[in-house]
Amino acid sequence: MPACEASRRQEKKKKRMRRRPPAAARARPSWSGRGREKRAWLPFATVAPRACAARGEHAGGACAARGGPGRGEGSARAMAAPPCAFSPRGCRLFASAGPDGRLRVWDTAGSRLQHEYVPSAHLSAACTCLAWALAGARQPPSKDGPQRKKRKSEVGGEVDKQLDILAIGTAVGSILLYSTVKGELQSKLDGGHDSRVNCVRWHQESCCLYSCSDDKHIVEWNTQTCKVKCKWKGDNSSVTCLCISPDGKMLLSAGRTIKLWDLETKEVYRHFTGHATSVSSLMFTTVKPTNESKPFDGITGLYFLSGAIHDRLLSVWQIRSDRKEKNAVMSFTVTDEPTFVDLTVSEVKEEPVKLAVVCRDGQLHLFEHILNGYCKKPLTSNCTVQIATPGDGDSTPKPVPILAAAFCTDKQSLLLVYGNALQPVIEKVSLNTSEPHICLVRDIQKVLSLKTDAAVTKVKTPVVNSEAKVLVPGIPGHSTAVKTPALGKEKKKNKRKPGETEESIEERLGALDIDVSKVKTPGGLPQTDSFAVLLVQGLESNDAEILNKVLNTRKENIVKNTVARMPIHAVIPLLHELTKRLQGNPYSASLMVRWLKSVFTVHASYLSTLPDLIPQLGMLYQLMESRVKTLQKLSRLHGRLFILVTQVAASQTVQDVPEVNQTAKLVYEDESSEEEGSDDEMIADKDSDENWDEDEEKEEQSDEQDMTVEKEINGDSDLEPENESEEE
């Protein structure tokens, strides 16, 4: 029995351990409900899988075990909002880096574009983070070499110039220092990081700059010499955010866990639990501790704020003397992931901290709270701000996203940046935070048109003479200011010479008669002006016959001149018509591409000013992307088909060749047997012997004949035969 009870106790203990959430989940509660906040302790496996799955991670720190960022970290950063920052001391300038790699600096007073900088490698080394130089930071040296010493009267102006130095972190590990006063690149910091720069921070007093990267290191730069002053490993995974303490002696760094470093010794002073995902924002909220009874060492008792990717909670931490306390003391809840955070620093114990948080869904949440210790429940926003279009007529109001927000020097009014990131609208507003929800109605198109009208009014129109006759072009939508002659002026009298008779009406009508055959152009095609008029009429009436007649033109000169002479209001309808034709008939793509090329070449400046250009051309962009993706496969198929066709054609040419007569005209037979060879030899020998005998006989006969001839000559022939015998 005792053994059974012991085994039962062990099983119960194991069940309790299974039900008990890990430390990370116990430190971060989950809340549900709008009107009433209900605290529910959920295990980490039910809280964090969505955020971890979006970043390609697993619960329990599998990413940290790999020693690098998660597999989905790049996709999460690609979806992040473009980096932007307000200049210190009154937020006079607003800097933002677009997805195209261009740096734009706007004047917040009039929403005017003041500077635009395009780095040399803006496509491969996109901007990842921005930071304005603080008031105490010294200006880095320029490329022009050593400068002369400044007078005392010039020192005051230098302080403002120092605030206009902008540090730009890139995706390849380099840092650019851009001067907005000179409008050029001041210097470049290289050799510190091997990977993407996630955050840069200026020191308050010295000419130092701190940066962190995906290579797990923190680098301290000397901006005077543009060299690395110190470099140390900040975390086992990528370091994503930095923040310097108010006294400039401590440094906060965060990947997932948050560490407090001593800048003199480069050692960790405190550890904090952090977040389940990468930290995206980190800043101090107080400069003095709330408990003034204890002596202040510069860091103990201060509060700081942190926010993370895919996390709807902003956590507040307190630096305490107890090293065991590593959890957050309070938190602020928002509707979506925070993309931009600004706050007013509390300098007095009774002064509340004001917090402005811009979320990914385009809403702005305002908080106001006095930091006085631990708070269990999360704090909801005192006021939520949204911006929407008026929605005149049948159109429904559309939400306008808020990109950034910052408190002004009076800590009451706000600077709102909303609209499109390429051409934002910056407005200073004073809000009544007593209302829980505020919706601001703004017509972005009207605001942008007012800006363009203000720029156009600076151009003076020439004064038209009363005697001149102004001809207005007959293109629909084209308006020209025609000044009528003054009423006070007398009309010019028609003076006629004496004796001249007045022409009759019939003669005048005959003089106005025009021979149409002489006006017609060769080929029966109308002129470019007529094409522009027909194109606008076809777009307004949606007449397919007129549009086919105009758009099926193959002459590039007519296409270019027609696009150049068409009114501006017909550009977007023409693009929609071209997109529709590209989707319908693939054979007309070659013709439509010529029109698209001319439209983008001639009207590029007008298209870049449209605030809703991306939704207007979204279908065309997707269509072009889909066709470009299939281009490689089609080219491979074309190559294979070309090889097959050439092989088939070659085989057919071989088959088409006429057959050659294979019968031989002459046959030579060679007998190689030994017997036949020996018989032939015998026959040849016999023939040679017989021939030899015949030759000998012939020679003897010829000799005898010669002898007789000689005897006859010598007289020997008269001798008798008897004498001949005696002589013998």
Side-chain angles (χ1 to χ4, degrees):
M1 293 296 293
C4 294
E5 290 181 0
S7 61
R8 288 175 184 174
R9 288 178 182 176
Q10 289 180 357
E11 289 179 359
K12 289 181 180 180
K13 189 174 181 180
K14 289 180 180 179
K15 289 180 180 179
R16 284 197 224 106
M17 293 299 292
R18 290 173 186 170
R19 294 176 182 175
R20 189 180 182 186
R26 294 200 305 272
R28 297 184 65 249
S30 174
W31 295 272
S32 61
R34 288 188 178 179
R36 52 179 184 175
E37 284 78 14
K38 189 175 181 181
R39 195 170 186 176
W41 301 99
L42 298 177
F44 183 82
T46 61
V47 174
R50 291 183 181 178
C52 294
R55 301 176 62 248
E57 301 162 358
H58 301 282
C63 172
R66 289 195 303 270
R71 288 174 291 177
E73 189 77 19
S75 61
R77 288 175 180 170
M79 295 174 60
C84 55
F86 286 94
S87 63
R89 284 191 178 182
C91 302
R92 186 173 57 88
L93 300 175
F94 175 74
S96 65
D100 55 352
R102 297 173 181 265
L103 173 68
R104 296 177 176 88
V105 181
W106 304 83
D107 185 9
T108 57
S111 299
R112 294 186 302 272
L113 182 62
Q114 191 168 356
H115 296 280
E116 185 173 5
Y117 173 65
V118 184
S120 58
H122 64 285
L123 297 178
S124 60
C127 175
T128 56
C129 53
L130 299 173
W132 290 90
L134 303 177
R138 280 178 281 180
Q139 188 176 6
S142 62
K143 297 181 180 180
D144 300 336
Q147 302 290 334
R148 65 177 180 85
K149 293 184 179 180
K150 302 294 182 181
R151 298 177 182 176
K152 292 183 179 180
S153 59
E154 298 178 357
V155 174
E158 284 294 319
V159 176
D160 295 334
K161 291 183 180 180
Q162 292 169 8
L163 301 177
D164 295 333
I165 301 297
L166 191 62
I168 308 168
T170 62
V172 295
S174 60
I175 300 174
L176 309 177
L177 300 182
Y178 179 75
S179 173
T180 57
V181 176
K182 297 181 179 179
E184 62 182 10
L185 187 66
Q186 192 86 349
S187 55
K188 185 177 181 180
L189 308 180
D190 272 330
H193 295 291
D194 300 332
S195 184
R196 167 194 173 104
V197 179
N198 294 323
C199 184
V200 287
R201 287 289 180 267
W202 290 88
H203 198 273
Q204 293 93 325
E205 298 176 358
S206 62
C207 58
C208 292
L209 181 72
Y210 294 89
S211 62
C212 61
S213 171
D214 283 345
D215 58 3
K216 312 173 190 178
H217 287 82
I218 302 172
V219 177
E220 180 181 0
W221 300 88
N222 187 349
T223 57
Q224 294 289 333
T225 60
C226 299
K227 294 182 179 180
V228 177
K229 190 176 180 180
C230 184
K231 181 178 179 179
W232 71 95
K233 187 175 181 180
D235 206 338
N236 292 328
S237 60
S238 61
V239 185
T240 57
C241 203
L242 296 175
C243 183
I244 301 175
S245 63
D247 61 351
K249 296 181 180 179
M250 296 288 179
L251 176 70
L252 281 172
S253 70
R256 292 185 192 171
T257 60
I258 303 174
K259 298 179 182 180
L260 182 65
W261 300 84
D262 188 354
L263 291 179
E264 292 184 1
T265 61
K266 304 299 185 296
E267 295 179 355
V268 179
Y269 183 74
R270 289 285 188 277
H271 279 277
F272 299 93
T273 305
H275 297 261
T277 55
S278 299
V279 176
S280 59
S281 57
L282 199 63
M283 57 185 67
F284 278 90
T285 59
T286 55
V287 295
K288 292 182 180 180
T290 56
N291 189 3
E292 298 179 355
S293 60
K294 296 181 180 180
F296 180 52
D297 58 354
I299 194 66
T300 305
L302 297 184
Y303 291 88
F304 66 91
L305 181 78
S306 67
I309 300 174
H310 306 299
D311 196 349
R312 295 187 297 174
L313 289 178
L314 292 169
S315 301
V316 180
W317 315 78
Q318 187 179 15
I319 303 172
R320 301 182 180 180
S321 58
D322 187 8
R323 293 179 177 268
K324 296 181 180 180
E325 188 62 36
K326 299 180 180 180
N327 298 329
V329 295
M330 65 179 68
S331 58
F332 299 99
T333 177
V334 291
T335 56
D336 204 346
E337 174 189 344
T339 57
F340 192 91
V341 182
D342 189 45
L343 54 83
T344 60
V345 179
S346 176
E347 298 179 357
V348 188
K349 180 181 179 180
E350 292 79 11
E351 183 182 2
V353 174
K354 293 183 179 181
L355 185 64
V357 183
V358 178
C359 298
R360 184 178 293 279
D361 56 4
Q363 298 185 26
L364 171 64
H365 299 276
L366 300 177
F367 298 88
E368 187 173 353
H369 184 72
I370 299 176
L371 303 178
N372 54 2
Y374 187 76
C375 182
K376 294 183 178 180
K377 293 184 178 181
L379 302 175
T380 57
S381 61
N382 298 341
C383 180
T384 302
V385 182
Q386 287 180 324
I387 300 178
T389 57
D392 298 333
D394 298 335
S395 61
T396 58
K398 296 181 181 179
V400 179
I402 300 176
L403 304 178
F407 287 100
C408 298
T409 53
D410 57 357
K411 297 184 180 181
Q412 299 295 330
S413 55
L414 280 168
L415 274 175
L416 298 181
V417 182
Y418 57 90
N420 190 5
L422 298 177
Q423 192 173 4
V425 179
I426 305 175
E427 182 183 355
K428 183 178 181 180
V429 295
S430 297
L431 303 175
N432 185 12
T433 56
S434 60
E435 298 180 6
H437 190 84
I438 298 175
C439 184
L440 303 176
V441 180
R442 298 289 185 271
D443 192 354
I444 299 182
Q445 295 182 357
K446 187 176 180 181
V447 172
L448 295 176
S449 64
L450 288 175
K451 289 182 182 179
T452 55
D453 291 343
V456 169
T457 52
K458 296 180 181 179
V459 180
K460 296 182 179 180
T461 56
V463 179
V464 181
N465 190 5
S466 60
E467 299 178 358
K469 186 178 180 180
V470 180
L471 300 176
V472 181
I475 302 176
H478 186 84
S479 58
T480 305
V482 181
K483 292 192 175 182
T484 57
L487 298 176
K489 294 184 178 181
E490 299 179 355
K491 295 182 180 180
K492 187 178 181 181
K493 295 181 180 180
N494 187 11
K495 295 182 180 181
R496 208 181 308 157
K497 295 181 180 180
E500 184 180 356
T501 59
E502 185 179 359
E503 295 180 354
S504 62
I505 297 175
E506 184 179 359
E507 293 176 353
R508 292 181 182 179
L509 291 176
L512 292 175
D513 190 11
I514 300 173
D515 190 2
V516 182
S517 61
K518 296 180 181 179
V519 180
K520 288 186 178 180
T521 58
L525 293 176
Q527 297 293 334
T528 307
D529 295 336
S530 303
F531 261 88
V533 175
L534 288 175
L535 181 59
V536 175
Q537 290 177 356
L539 292 174
E540 290 180 354
S541 61
N542 199 11
D543 192 344
E545 185 177 356
I546 298 176
L547 292 175
N548 290 334
K549 184 177 181 181
V550 177
L551 296 179
N552 289 336
T553 306
R554 295 181 178 273
K555 295 184 178 181
E556 294 187 0
N557 293 331
I558 295 178
V559 173
K560 291 180 181 178
N561 295 332
T562 304
V563 173
R565 298 186 183 186
M566 66 182 296
I568 294 177
H569 67 85
V571 174
I572 295 298
L574 177 60
L575 289 176
H576 291 330
E577 181 66 25
L578 295 176
T579 305
K580 184 171 66 175
R581 288 175 177 266
L582 282 173
Q583 291 177 344
N585 190 2
Y587 296 102
S588 63
S590 59
L591 298 176
M592 299 304 109
V593 166
R594 297 179 183 177
W595 288 91
L596 284 174
K597 180 181 178 181
S598 300
V599 170
F600 289 137
T601 304
V602 177
H603 298 286
S605 58
Y606 165 70
L607 293 174
S608 61
T609 59
L610 296 178
D612 56 345
L613 180 62
I614 295 176
Q616 290 281 0
L617 302 182
M619 186 66 68
L620 179 61
Y621 178 75
Q622 293 177 2
L623 181 63
M624 295 173 66
E625 282 290 327
S626 61
R627 293 202 175 187
V628 168
K629 287 180 181 178
T630 58
L631 177 62
Q632 187 175 4
K633 297 180 181 178
L634 289 175
S635 60
R636 291 179 182 175
L637 180 61
H638 177 267
R640 294 175 182 176
L641 290 176
F642 179 75
I643 293 173
L644 291 176
V645 169
T646 51
Q647 290 179 354
V648 170
S651 63
Q652 288 180 354
T653 53
V654 172
Q655 293 177 1
D656 294 340
V657 174
E659 295 183 357
V660 182
N661 189 8
Q662 301 292 335
T663 58
K665 295 182 179 180
L666 179 64
V667 178
Y668 174 75
E669 294 182 357
D670 186 10
E671 296 179 359
S672 59
S673 60
E674 295 179 356
E675 295 177 355
E676 293 177 355
S678 60
D679 294 340
D680 294 340
E681 290 176 358
M682 293 294 292
I683 293 169
D685 294 337
K686 290 179 181 180
D687 294 339
S688 60
D689 294 338
E690 292 176 356
N691 294 333
W692 178 259
D693 295 337
E694 291 178 355
D695 293 338
E696 287 180 352
E697 290 177 357
K698 289 180 179 179
E699 289 178 356
E700 289 177 356
Q701 291 177 1
S702 61
D703 292 338
E704 289 178 357
Q705 291 176 359
D706 292 337
M707 290 292 293
T708 55
V709 172
E710 289 178 357
K711 286 179 180 182
E712 289 177 356
I713 294 170
N714 297 326
D716 294 338
S717 61
D718 296 337
L719 294 178
E720 295 179 357
E722 294 178 355
N723 297 329
E724 292 177 358
S725 61
E726 290 178 356
E727 290 177 359
E728 291 176 359

